[in-house]
Amino acid sequence: MVLPVMLYSAVPFYQGALRDVKNRRAGMDTPVALAILLAFVAGVYALLSNAGQGMYFEGIAMFAFLLLLGRFMEQAARRKAGDAAERLVKLVPAFCHKLPDYPDEKVQEAAVAQLRSGDVLLVRAGEVVPVDGTVLSGESEADEAMLTGESLPVAKRAGDKVTAGTLNTASPLVVRADEVGGQTRLAHIVKLLDRALSQKPRLAEAADKYASGFVSGMLSLAAPVFAGWWYFTDAYQALWITVSLLVITCPCALSLATPTALAVSTGKLAGKGVLIARGHALEALAAATDVVFDKTGTLTEGKLWVTQTLLLGGEYAVQAAQALESQSEHPIAHAIMALPVEKAADIAVEQRVNRVGHGVSAMLTISGKQQIWAIGRPEFVAEIAGDIPPQCCDTGHDGSVIALGNQQGFAALFFLKDQVKAGVPEMLAALKNRGLTPHILSGDRRNAVNALAKQLGIESACAEAAPEDKLAYVENLQRQGKKVLMVGDGINDAPVLAAADVSVAVAGGADVARDGADVVLLNEDMAVLPEMLEQAARTQANIRQNLIWASLYNIIAVPLAAAGYVTPWVAALGMSSSSLLVLMNALRLGKQ
């Protein structure tokens, strides 16, 4: 009757033990497989020799059942904790309504997997948007809560962008596909989340290393325990005590303590629009002492507008500025492109060079006249245009200043302003209450940065910082023993995001910034930062609780098993109960 248990139910333990042997390590399955095989061999020997004792086949079935029950509950808990990526994948429908001859309204059913960029789709009310695209016609509202955690629907009309996985709630929309399949924002988020869940943080690696050493020690202890009991009693008694020792000391709880807590917190934060993209992020967030913010697009809306245009000479200054910025997605470029022009100009652009954090230069041909133009920071433009005009240093303007010039001199100055994001003052107050020190680190002009720092009550502010200056600023904080959390959104933030102890990128920023960050804020809501740090601190406390319990359990269990006070099925029950206690404690992170 116990053969099905041996030949089928216990196979996962054998496979795990063989894998550990091949990898030359001692894992959790090694002592369990050894205990099951030893007990069965001894039971068969006792049966064949008619010894009349030691045939505890029901004990084998009992602790195999308890061990597998524990594994089942463990896997169910981990699936529940880590199913954020699975939920996101299921958002995209398999089929959609395609308009092959748009503007003809004839609808054709099509598989989403076969869509191409440029296809036109009809998304009816109550349907999920299958692609990243642009609304061509119609007005409606989109529920983006699954992606961003924002519960309020977002209005959509012609020209607005829609994202795969969001729900069209009100009326039909005609959408042109811009990104499909694995290129959508949703697919990118799923990849980042999968990467985070597959990586092992330093705490988990340390716990696994300790567990492996613990198992090796228990296997070494089993031999003298068996020999000692055999010497003082008999082989059968020695065998069952040794089996109990091997089972009860399996460090399942120790190995589950860290990854389960991390998976639960990762899933909870994903539901709030916070994507943990790297495994070590929660551990590093809990240790952060200083928070360094970029300015534009992070603390401020990043929707700049030109408050004043100062023309310093020459024709077609605004047209030249727009020609230089035509290929940029920077908020400053959008503000320049939004400026009205009195008359169009035929401008040819050649040899465009973008110096990150400084500006753009190119050879422009305007009305047959060819010369080098530049737009960006006044110091950058001065390399081509000569001396910086005194108007750049106007202390009466607390916004940003962008200069335009050519080989003849400075042609125009554009003064821009931005506004602070909603919830930022409250967020900064919450960070200070947690004992963190905020900093502003920006490439913007000094007047604008200092005005914002004064408005928000931030004492440490660094302005006019190039990418290399930002990197040096963060490295200087790290040399002082600070643990730096960097928050940014632009291409010029990518190096410093990578260098910080832990980094947060705003999802609306550049792809390279998001890819290099440890955490991505999907809804661009900075108010979630204190909650994210609180969750990280609770996760670390939970992991410590789990590790302490797992260690105490082993300290108590080993002497009791070695002294012969534990039977095999009680050992299996104790080990499973210890693991379940750790899992239940970790699951609390998803409810509080």
Side-chain angles (χ1 to χ4, degrees), residues 113-351:
Q114 296 177 349
L115 293 177
R116 298 290 179 268
S117 179
D119 287 345
V120 179
L121 314 174
L122 174 65
V123 183
R124 293 170 177 158
E127 292 183 345
V128 173
V129 180
V131 297
D132 287 358
T134 304
V135 178
L136 298 180
S137 64
E139 290 190 16
S140 184
E141 291 183 330
D143 182 354
E144 301 181 346
M146 191 61 197
L147 286 178
T148 66
E150 175 57 57
S151 58
L152 295 177
V154 181
K156 299 293 179 182
R157 55 181 60 88
D160 289 343
K161 299 291 184 180
V162 290
T163 305
T166 57
L167 178 67
N168 180 24
T169 60
S171 59
L173 292 174
V174 176
V175 176
R176 183 189 67 238
D178 297 331
E179 302 289 350
V180 299
Q183 303 303 314
T184 63
R185 180 184 176 196
L186 177 64
H188 186 71
I189 290 170
V190 171
K191 289 173 187 174
L192 290 177
L193 191 55
D194 282 340
R195 182 181 69 186
L197 292 174
S198 65
Q199 289 179 338
K200 277 198 173 183
R202 288 184 290 268
L203 266 177
E205 291 176 348
D208 283 351
K209 187 176 180 180
Y210 176 77
S212 179
F214 182 82
V215 169
S216 299
M218 287 302 101
L219 291 174
S220 301
L221 178 63
V225 167
F226 177 79
W229 278 98
W230 191 3
Y231 179 79
F232 288 106
T233 57
D234 56 61
Y236 298 112
Q237 181 75 1
L239 176 68
W240 290 113
I241 291 173
T242 305
V243 167
S244 299
L245 176 67
L246 291 173
V247 172
I248 202 170
T249 55
C250 176
C252 298
L254 193 62
S255 294
L256 289 173
T258 300
T260 308
L262 293 174
V264 172
S265 286
T266 297
K268 181 180 179 181
L269 290 173
K272 294 181 175 293
V274 179
L275 177 62
I276 304 298
R278 299 187 189 274
H280 76 279
L282 285 170
E283 180 183 352
L285 283 170
T289 60
D290 291 64
V291 187
V292 178
F293 293 95
D294 178 41
K295 173 180 168 285
T296 305
T298 303
L299 292 175
T300 62
E301 292 286 355
K303 298 175 182 176
L304 299 169
W305 69 95
V306 178
T307 58
Q308 180 184 356
T309 301
L310 182 61
L311 299 176
L312 302 177
E315 286 188 296
Y316 303 115
V318 175
Q319 294 91 327
Q322 291 179 342
L324 289 168
E325 296 282 22
S326 61
Q327 295 185 6
S328 175
E329 291 297 322
H330 195 280
I332 290 175
H334 289 301
I336 298 295
M337 296 302 294
L339 288 172
V341 293
E342 294 182 0
K343 57 181 178 179
D346 185 15
I347 302 177
V349 183
E350 300 176 283
Q351 304 173 22

Side-chain angles (χ1 to χ4, degrees), residues 365-574:
T365 303
I366 306 176
S367 301
K369 184 177 181 181
Q370 189 178 67
Q371 60 181 332
I372 298 174
W373 286 72
I375 187 170
R377 294 171 63 173
E379 296 80 4
F380 170 71
V381 177
E383 296 176 10
I384 295 172
D387 295 337
I388 297 175
Q391 293 91 330
C392 283
C393 304
D394 180 13
T395 56
H397 193 283
D398 61 2
S400 306
V401 61
I402 296 299
L404 172 73
N406 55 36
Q407 292 164 298
Q408 305 301 314
F410 279 75
L413 298 177
F414 303 99
F415 293 92
L416 302 96
K417 291 203 71 172
D418 199 353
Q419 62 182 5
V420 176
K421 283 184 177 180
V424 164
E426 294 80 4
M427 176 269 294
L428 291 172
L431 292 181
K432 290 178 181 178
N433 288 338
R434 293 188 59 83
L436 281 82
T437 304
H439 305 251
I440 298 180
L441 184 56
S442 174
D444 209 345
R445 70 194 292 249
R446 195 169 305 280
N447 286 351
V449 173
N450 290 342
L452 180 65
K454 183 178 180 181
Q455 178 184 349
L456 297 176
I458 298 177
E459 297 180 3
S460 303
C462 178
E464 301 178 3
E468 54 271 23
D469 300 325
K470 292 185 177 184
L471 191 60
Y473 187 94
V474 168
E475 290 175 343
N476 182 53
L477 287 175
Q478 291 172 327
R479 281 194 292 270
Q480 298 173 33
K482 307 292 180 63
K483 299 296 182 182
V484 179
L485 163 59
M486 176 69 197
V487 187
D489 75 324
I491 291 175
N492 57 337
D493 295 323
V496 70
L497 285 170
D501 295 281
V502 60
S503 54
V504 175
V506 181
D511 287 344
V512 67
R514 295 197 301 268
D515 289 344
D518 303 313
V519 182
V520 179
L521 300 184
L522 300 178
N523 59 6
E524 305 185 32
D525 181 11
M526 302 302 295
V528 78
L529 276 179
E531 186 174 349
M532 178 181 68
L533 291 167
E534 173 66 22
Q535 184 70 15
R538 289 178 51 237
T539 302
Q540 292 301 104
N542 189 279
I543 290 172
R544 284 195 296 271
Q545 293 166 6
N546 287 343
L547 291 176
I548 290 171
W549 159 250
S551 300
L552 286 174
Y553 163 78
N554 285 315
I555 289 172
I556 296 170
V558 170
L560 289 176
Y565 290 110
V566 182
T567 59
W569 74 269
V570 171
L573 181 62

Side-chain angles (χ1 to χ4, degrees), residues 102-117:
Y102 181 79
D104 187 345
E105 296 183 358
K106 184 179 179 181
V107 174
Q108 174 184 321
E109 290 290 323
V112 172
Q114 296 177 349
L115 293 177
R116 298 290 179 268
S117 179

